[in-house]
Amino acid sequence: MKLLSLNNVNKEYQQGDVTINALQNVNLELSDGEFAALVGPSGSGKTTLLNIIGGLDNPTSGLIQLNGQDMTQFNEAELSRFRLFEIGFVFQAYNLVPVLSALENVELIMVLQGKHKKDREERAQHYLKLVGLQTMQHRRPSALSGGQQQRVAVARALAAGPRIVLADEPTANLDSENAFALLDIMHDLTHEEGTTFLFSTHDPRVMERAERIVTLRDGKIESDESR
């Protein structure tokens, strides 16, 4: 089932008198349960595209539909609420709250969603178990390794029940063992939970595991290959 559709999406930036075409006529569709990667050289538009799909930036022109809704028609309040319930984010820098435990970090978005405490705790514990951290749920980020912190970030993204998880260079700070372990977890969750993952990456380890590779160059889709 089609989850995401981008039609002729453009993004322009002004640098003084110069117009930078960060994205040019991008057309892309993703279905439920895909495990896909955006690849390409630095400056190709990967992060810009990910941010636009996630509603963190606005396109200059074009149509973006996620789960049947046109994101370009939302006001800021509507877009914030849509992101809260429909989109999960995993960042290179983890973005965990240092004074909260792993469990509390995973619960945080569900607090914003208004879920009841019992439901929050059960879902947080469930996803921490799925990422192999059930015995570390009461540790703060400073007591976790980089790989463990990134697993908490994945559990946090998934526990909110999004239709799609956007991951910007999620393995960049991880050694190979932790990177492959994290990718295996996310790949399994794609098939078990039906969640769509879209990565922005330079990492050949991610490209190796991705089931679809979308290559960007100079703001344009150069190739789109499923395997």
Side-chain angles (χ1 to χ4, degrees):
M1 180 178 174
K2 184 169 70 176
L3 173 65
L4 174 72
S5 177
L6 279 70
N7 297 105
N8 296 320
V9 169
N10 293 274
K11 180 63 179 181
E12 297 178 354
Y13 295 103
Q14 288 296 131
Q15 288 189 351
D17 295 330
V18 178
T19 299
I20 306 297
N21 296 309
L23 295 174
Q24 300 181 63
N25 296 319
V26 170
N27 294 283
L28 179 68
E29 290 187 352
L30 285 176
S31 300
D32 284 316
E34 287 207 65
F35 197 68
L38 296 172
V39 306
S42 295
S44 61
K46 300 187 304 296
T47 297
T48 299
L49 182 55
L50 210 66
N51 287 342
I52 283 176
I53 293 171
L56 301 175
D57 199 356
N58 297 314
T60 304
S61 63
L63 177 69
I64 304 169
Q65 289 183 304
L66 179 60
N67 198 18
Q69 299 191 61
D70 183 358
M71 295 175 64
T72 60
Q73 298 302 310
F74 292 151
N75 61 35
E76 281 301 318
E78 291 168 337
L79 189 56
S80 293
R81 181 170 177 79
F82 189 74
R83 282 198 305 262
L84 183 62
F85 286 92
E86 300 288 343
I87 304 170
F89 297 93
V90 178
F91 300 99
Q92 178 180 338
Y94 318 140
N95 287 2
L96 301 180
V97 180
V99 297
L100 300 181
S101 68
L103 184 70
E104 291 166 336
N105 266 286
V106 175
E107 282 189 71
L108 188 57
I109 293 178
M110 293 184 285
V111 172
L112 299 175
Q113 289 178 330
K115 285 187 166 61
H116 292 296
K117 182 175 175 58
K118 185 173 185 294
D119 185 31
R120 293 198 312 261
E121 288 182 353
E122 287 177 352
R123 287 183 65 83
Q125 289 168 351
H126 170 71
Y127 283 99
L128 283 171
K129 183 177 180 179
L130 284 182
V131 300
L133 292 178
Q134 65 269 36
T135 62
M136 300 183 183
Q137 61 182 354
H138 299 301
R139 293 191 186 183
R140 291 184 177 180
S142 60
L144 298 171
S145 69
Q148 290 165 344
Q149 289 184 60
Q150 193 61 299
R151 292 187 191 196
V152 174
V154 171
R156 177 182 59 190
L158 288 163
R163 296 294 299 273
I164 187 170
V165 174
L166 305 176
D168 191 11
E169 299 283 2
T171 58
N173 295 325
L174 304 181
D175 60 31
S176 290
E177 182 180 355
N178 277 304
F180 282 127
L182 184 70
L183 289 166
D184 285 342
I185 288 167
M186 291 189 284
H187 187 265
D188 289 345
L189 289 170
T190 295
H191 294 281
E192 292 168 11
E193 307 265 330
T195 306
T196 297
F197 278 86
L198 180 62
F199 302 87
S200 165
T201 188
H202 290 97
D203 192 339
R205 300 170 300 189
V206 177
M207 299 177 207
E208 179 184 322
R209 300 295 175 94
E211 297 171 349
R212 181 175 170 188
I213 300 286
V214 179
T215 303
L216 288 170
R217 187 175 297 275
D218 298 326
K220 301 176 182 177
I221 292 182
E222 184 176 68
S223 63
D224 186 349
E225 301 175 357
S226 297
R227 51 190 184 171

